[in-house]
Every structure is written in structure tokens, then in C-alpha cells.
Amino acid sequence: MTRETCDVLIIGSGIGGLSAAALLVASGYKTIVVEKSPRIGGRYSTIDHKGFKITTGAIEIEMGGVIQKVFDAVGAKLEATVASTFKYRVNGKDYDMPAKGGMRAFISALAENEDEANRVMGGLKKALMWQDPADNISLRQWVQQYTENERIVRAFWSLVSPTHFVNDDELPAGKFFAYLKAPKAAAVGIAPRGPLELMETLRKGIEAKGGQIWTKCAATKIAVEDGKAVGVMVNRGGESVEIAAKAVISNTGPRKTVELAGADNFDRWYLNLMEETLHPAPFIAVHASSDEPLVDCDSIVFILGRRLSCMNTPSIACPELAPKGKHLLMAGGTPLSSLPPYDVQAD
């Protein structure tokens, strides 16, 4: 058995794991990232298919915010093309999301009259400025306090489906407003040659600072002594490797982390919370190719979609994502229920 040592061992090379690695190596910590897949990036990566660069999840990335600081920490360039302001479609007609007074103009365009728009905006102002909505009501229930207008109700659904991967009747109202109030990046962009190339740029920056990223390397056990994670056992190329570490970061999800470390090493309240409240957030995505763009903007939101909440045509901003003379469309939405069991055929 081979033995290695490091300051911090990170399980998983998704954007969370790589961001942690970048900040750690920039601060002088010897860091190793282990990734079971041959490809880094997790849900921000790329599958090459017949000349199309198809995302494994996210299509856009924040610019000028936290992610920018991560790239800067290791001297990596966050190369992305700024995405255009999204449009929204109501009853077959497309509207530009207003740049100034965006939410007010958005709600006014959907409201039956100004009184209705004022009620909804008054509720938004209260929720954002001084009274946080509770988590014991859903976002839909919160909206329906101010209007039964289905266009406005579904407008909120269309905002959470592509961002939270749940429906508006499943998302606690408090969580939605916490998201709205969180600091936002200056802009969002699209990686010109796909997410994986951008993650490889970050990888090079991490490795230039002395960090290591091992792909095709599955974690098999988190070693715990006296309640503290002290290392990880991995399978690297068929060989068992024991990596001793002063700290372990798991970017592989709560359930897998508990499995690797052993349930006995976690408090009962945490295990109960995980079992009772941790649910999957499924999202159905369909990719299609065409000779001409099927929608004429980077992103469009469907206010009255049954399941379809958004469409992206990233090849408009970044032609490199598709073969010459072709365009790539990604359309997606949440199932009728984000909780299992699913009716995959119906969805």
C-alpha cells in the first residue's frame, strides 16, 4: 500500500472542490484533490459529442464575484463571454427583461392592473427590506397572498425552476428570499469552449501552486480518529493509497460523505436532518442541434411553461460550442414533482 501526506485532502473536483483547492494552495497549504471520474468539473464540465460541447449541468458562470476571486488566487484567467440579458415569453410573445427597475417592470407587464402590481411589489419590498418570510410556507403560497393571477404566480416558478431545480410549491419562501438577498456577481458568462476547458485552466493554476488533482481515483474510506477526519483511503489505478491529512473536505454530497466516514461518526440530529430534509433536485435537460438558432437570445424564460422553464442557445455568444454552421440549444425544466418516485415517461 502506498502512503501519502498532505495538509488538506479534498474529495470531488466539482467547482466547489476546485475552488476550495485554489484558495488553499494560494494560502500555502499542501492540497490533494481526488476525483473518481476521468473528467474534472462535476456539474460544470463538458461532454464532447460530434463536435458539440455539451454541458454536464450549468451553462453559465458568475463573473466578477466569488468565482473570479478563486481564479485570481492562483493566477488563472476566467475567460467567459458575458451573456446577454434574458428574455421572457408570455403567450407566445417575447419581452426583454428591463435593465432598469427590472422586477417592477417585469411584474407590471404581467399584472392585470397597477393595483395588483403594487400589491406584489409591496410584498417583495417588505420581504427584502425588513420581514423575512418564514420557511413554513412555500414560495407559491407566499405569492398567492398578494395575487391569484396565474401569470405572476408562474413567473416566480420560472425564476426558481432553472436556479433551484425545484418547483415553487416545493421551495420554502424564506429560502427564496435568502437567495435574492445574497451578494450577486457583476455578470454571468459562458465559457467560449465549454465549461471543462475553464475548469482545466483553474486546474493548471492549482497545480502551478503545488496542488495535486488525481482523476480516476475513487475515495473508499474517510479515516476518523477521536471524531476527527485524519485522512482518506483511495483506489488509484487499482492500487490502494492511504493519504494522511490534517483536514478533509468532502465535495461528494452529505450521504456519500456519511457512507465514507461511517454513520457512527456523526451526531444523530445530523443524520435525522439528512434523512428528513435532504432530497434530490432533478432537472430535465434536452439538447438539440439546428442550422439556425431556435431562439434568438442566449437565454429565454417561459412564464407559462408546464414543465419547460428556460431555453439557452449558448452557441450564439460562443460559436465554438457547436460545429461550423450549427447551433446548440439547451432546454430544461423541473418535473411535476422534485420528490421521488418520478414518472419519467410522463415528464
Side-chain angles (χ1 to χ4, degrees):
M1 180 186 294
T2 303
R3 288 178 171 81
E4 299 277 350
T5 61
C6 63
D7 293 321
V8 185
L9 187 287
I10 299 173
I11 304 171
S13 71
I15 196 166
L18 291 182
S19 295
L23 297 175
L24 285 164
V25 297
S27 297
Y29 293 97
K30 181 181 179 182
T31 304
I32 297 176
V33 180
V34 295
E35 167 58 55
K36 67 179 181 180
S37 169
R39 178 180 61 236
I40 64 171
R43 290 299 176 191
Y44 188 69
S45 193
T46 307
I47 297 171
D48 287 307
H49 179 72
K50 297 182 179 180
F52 293 92
K53 296 188 180 298
I54 299 171
T55 177
T56 56
I59 191 68
E60 296 176 340
I61 190 167
E62 290 187 347
M63 302 172 67
V66 173
I67 300 299
Q68 183 70 62
K69 293 178 181 177
V70 167
F71 275 72
D72 292 345
V74 292
K77 184 178 180 182
L78 202 171
E79 183 182 358
T81 302
V82 177
S84 62
T85 303
F86 71 84
K87 294 183 178 182
Y88 61 97
R89 179 173 294 180
V90 186
N91 295 333
K93 186 175 180 180
D94 295 347
Y95 301 84
D96 291 321
M97 175 56 81
K100 292 183 179 180
M103 185 58 79
R104 173 75 200 204
F106 181 54
I107 295 299
S108 292
L110 300 171
E112 296 291 343
N113 50 57
E114 278 304 297
D115 286 342
E116 182 178 61
N118 288 335
R119 286 198 309 274
V120 176
M121 290 307 300
L124 281 168
K125 183 177 180 180
K126 181 170 69 172
L128 291 170
M129 297 298 290
W130 67 82
Q131 186 177 353
D132 294 333
D135 277 342
N136 63 350
I137 64 169
S138 69
L139 176 61
R140 181 181 299 180
Q141 289 171 324
W142 181 89
V143 175
Q144 288 174 335
Q145 295 177 107
Y146 304 100
T147 179
E148 292 290 337
N149 183 339
E150 187 65 12
R151 298 203 302 180
I152 295 179
V153 173
R154 294 296 285 176
F156 283 87
W157 168 82
S158 71
L159 295 177
V160 302
S161 172
T163 55
H164 293 71
F165 306 138
V166 294
N167 295 300
D168 57 333
D169 61 341
E170 299 166 327
L171 180 67
K175 295 293 187 291
F176 174 72
F177 285 97
Y179 165 77
L180 286 186
K181 289 190 279 189
K184 297 294 187 293
V188 294
I190 301 171
R193 290 168 293 280
L196 178 57
E197 183 160 316
L198 198 53
M199 292 297 93
E200 288 289 355
T201 299
L202 184 58
R203 175 184 190 161
K204 291 176 183 176
I206 292 168
E207 292 177 338
K209 293 281 188 180
Q212 299 179 51
I213 299 174
W214 300 357
T215 55
K216 299 181 182 178
C217 180
T220 57
K221 182 181 179 180
I222 297 175
V224 180
E225 294 179 3
D226 297 325
K228 178 183 177 182
V230 295
V232 176
M233 294 290 297
V234 302
N235 185 314
R236 191 184 190 192
E239 179 187 8
S240 292
V241 181
E242 180 182 358
I243 309 172
K246 297 174 183 176
V248 175
I249 295 174
S250 178
N251 189 44
T252 189
R255 285 201 172 94
K256 184 63 177 178
T257 302
V258 169
E259 178 187 327
L260 290 170
D264 291 344
N265 290 303
F266 293 84
D267 291 333
R268 175 51 53 188
W269 69 264
Y270 177 81
L271 297 175
N272 289 341
L273 184 68
M274 183 180 70
E275 291 303 322
E276 293 169 5
T277 65
L278 182 65
H279 303 297
F283 191 75
I284 302 169
V286 177
H287 294 81
S289 66
S290 60
D291 296 333
E292 299 292 336
L294 297 180
V295 291
D296 62 353
C297 59
D298 296 340
S299 182
I300 187 167
V301 168
F302 292 83
I303 301 302
L304 296 177
R306 184 171 174 219
R307 292 173 178 77
L308 181 66
S309 60
C310 63
M311 278 188 179
N312 299 84
T313 310
S315 54
I316 293 177
C318 302
E320 303 94 329
L321 297 176
K324 188 175 182 180
K326 294 288 185 179
H327 279 278
L328 175 64
L329 173 102
M330 185 178 87
T334 45
L336 287 181
S337 171
S338 69
L339 299 178
Y342 304 113
D343 189 339
V344 177
Q345 191 62 41
D347 281 316

